[in-house]
Amino acid sequence: MVIQHTASGVKRDDVDRRSRLGKLKVLVADRDRRTALLVKRILFMLGFRDLDIATNGEEALDFLGERPYDMIITEWNMEPIDGLTLVKAIRKAQVNARIRRDIPIVMLTAQADVDSVVVARDAGITEFVAKPFSAHTISHRMVQIIDNPRAFVESPRFVGPDRRRRGMPPEGVQERRSRAKPPALPPNTAIKDQLGGFSAADIITDAVMEQAQADLVKAESEFIDWARADILLLRAAFVGLSAIPADMPAKQRLMDAAYAIKSQAGIFGYNLGTEVAAFLLKYVSEHQDFSRDSLLVMGKHIDAIEIIF
């Protein structure tokens, strides 16, 4: 067989394989449109083309009611309907509804502690990706979902992909279920079937992942502008709390800005920015009343974030 090459030197056979991903419909739901666009950018580089963005769970359900999707990537923290509620609504949808109950769902969130992973898994997610993410982590999850679909469990206590994929819980998570396996439906192979015999690993190769990561890095200058805007929001919210410690809207604005920095900084190598923002977010969320000392601590965290960027 003669393999032709494109002008860019890419094998024509590889281009044809990746074009198959372009037929898949993916919905990305994230309250931060900037993050959703970064995810969309990665998926586009991998070969996906039919990509929609929703900014909350309610909008995502509207999208799902209008057209069938092959995969969903959702943030947890959204309003008025969050990602966890969205997952549960999909898994418990009527069998004859347009929404396919066994659609693969990736939870992509900065709320990535062990307890949250367990809760998300028990709600019926397919895969979990912690923010900040990279093109590599998202790529590996895409390959896992497509090439290794799991049986789908429908029981009174759980609806979703079989959680016993490896026969053991994730590291650090205690197994809380009995060893008896509940009845399961065959795996959802709809995506695999659309690829016409190719595996996702044949299409999303290491070289493709590297190209996607290199393209993601190009967005760093945009991220710096985003970070500066978030820092201005942090400052403004902090001033509001300093004046009125009981100003809950100001507290929420501060937490939203910190969450955005925590979610995105590490994507572009600003790992310290992610860590400090995470500390700030945790500190603020654990305090209902703000004393002079607690406000001082918060202010120092914001100073550190500003210095980092």
Side-chain angles (χ1 to χ4, degrees):
M1 179 180 69
V2 178
I3 299 178
Q4 297 179 332
H5 289 71
T6 65
S8 63
V10 179
K11 294 179 181 178
R12 176 68 64 184
D13 186 46
D14 291 342
V15 173
D16 291 341
R17 290 183 183 184
R18 290 175 69 182
S19 69
R20 295 172 184 265
L21 289 177
K23 300 176 183 178
L24 302 177
K25 294 178 284 295
V26 182
L27 177 61
V28 180
D30 198 304
R31 66 178 182 178
D32 186 347
R33 187 170 179 82
R34 302 173 306 185
T35 301
L37 289 173
L38 291 176
V39 175
K40 186 174 181 178
R41 184 169 184 158
I42 292 172
L43 295 177
F44 188 88
M45 288 298 295
L46 298 182
F48 296 88
R49 293 293 179 268
D50 197 342
L51 305 164
D52 288 326
I53 292 177
T55 56
N56 57 65
E58 186 175 48
E59 188 177 353
L61 287 173
D62 289 339
F63 271 108
L64 290 165
E66 293 172 359
R67 63 191 302 229
Y69 285 90
D70 298 292
M71 187 186 306
I72 300 170
I73 300 176
T74 182
E75 163 65 84
W76 188 320
N77 294 287
M78 300 185 293
E79 294 179 354
I81 296 178
D82 64 23
L84 197 67
T85 303
L86 172 64
V87 174
K88 292 178 179 179
I90 293 171
R91 296 307 187 213
K92 296 179 180 179
Q94 296 296 321
V95 175
N96 60 350
R98 180 185 292 271
I99 301 174
R100 182 163 180 166
R101 300 175 73 186
D102 61 353
I103 184 174
I105 304 175
V106 179
M107 183 67 79
L108 176 65
T109 180
Q111 190 169 323
D113 57 277
V114 171
D115 289 341
S116 294
V117 173
V118 173
V119 170
R121 183 192 63 175
D122 288 350
I125 65 162
T126 309
E127 296 289 344
F128 195 103
V129 178
K131 293 180 180 180
F133 53 83
S134 68
H136 296 94
T137 54
I138 290 180
S139 299
H140 285 303
R141 294 303 189 280
M142 297 299 101
V143 172
Q144 182 67 43
I145 285 174
I146 297 171
D147 286 352
N148 300 293
R150 283 177 276 161
F152 195 76
V153 175
E154 290 186 348
S155 69
R157 299 183 62 183
F158 174 75
V159 179
D162 192 339
R163 295 168 292 183
R164 303 167 189 263
R165 177 173 55 197
R166 298 181 179 86
M168 58 189 301
E171 183 178 353
V173 178
Q174 292 185 349
E175 180 59 73
R176 296 179 288 110
R177 301 176 299 278
S178 65
R179 292 290 180 182
K181 254 192 168 183
L185 301 175
N188 178 357
T189 61
I191 298 180
K192 202 169 186 178
D193 295 340
Q194 290 187 64
L195 297 185
F198 289 111
S199 73
D202 290 333
I203 303 172
I204 306 175
T205 61
D206 289 343
V208 171
M209 293 183 198
E210 290 298 334
Q211 290 175 350
Q213 182 63 29
D215 181 76
L216 181 63
V217 171
K218 293 178 182 177
E220 180 179 357
S221 61
E222 296 176 44
F223 164 69
I224 294 299
D225 290 337
W226 299 344
R228 288 169 178 163
D230 288 330
I231 290 170
L232 289 176
L233 293 175
L234 283 176
R235 286 289 181 197
F238 178 69
V239 169
L241 279 175
S242 298
I244 308 175
D247 187 346
M248 290 301 100
K251 175 183 177 181
Q252 187 59 53
R253 290 195 297 273
L254 191 150
M255 292 179 66
D256 287 345
Y259 189 87
I261 294 172
K262 173 187 175 183
S263 300
Q264 298 166 4
I267 296 174
F268 301 98
Y270 294 88
N271 297 327
L272 186 57
T274 285
E275 291 181 16
V276 177
F279 284 131
L280 174 61
L281 189 64
K282 185 173 185 295
Y283 187 83
V284 175
S285 64
E286 290 176 348
H287 286 75
Q288 296 299 321
D289 300 311
F290 298 105
S291 64
R292 180 180 299 178
D293 289 341
S294 60
L295 286 168
L296 178 63
V297 172
M298 290 165 55
K300 294 301 182 183
H301 277 78
I302 296 173
D303 289 341
I305 292 173
E306 193 167 24
I307 291 171
I308 291 170
F309 295 105

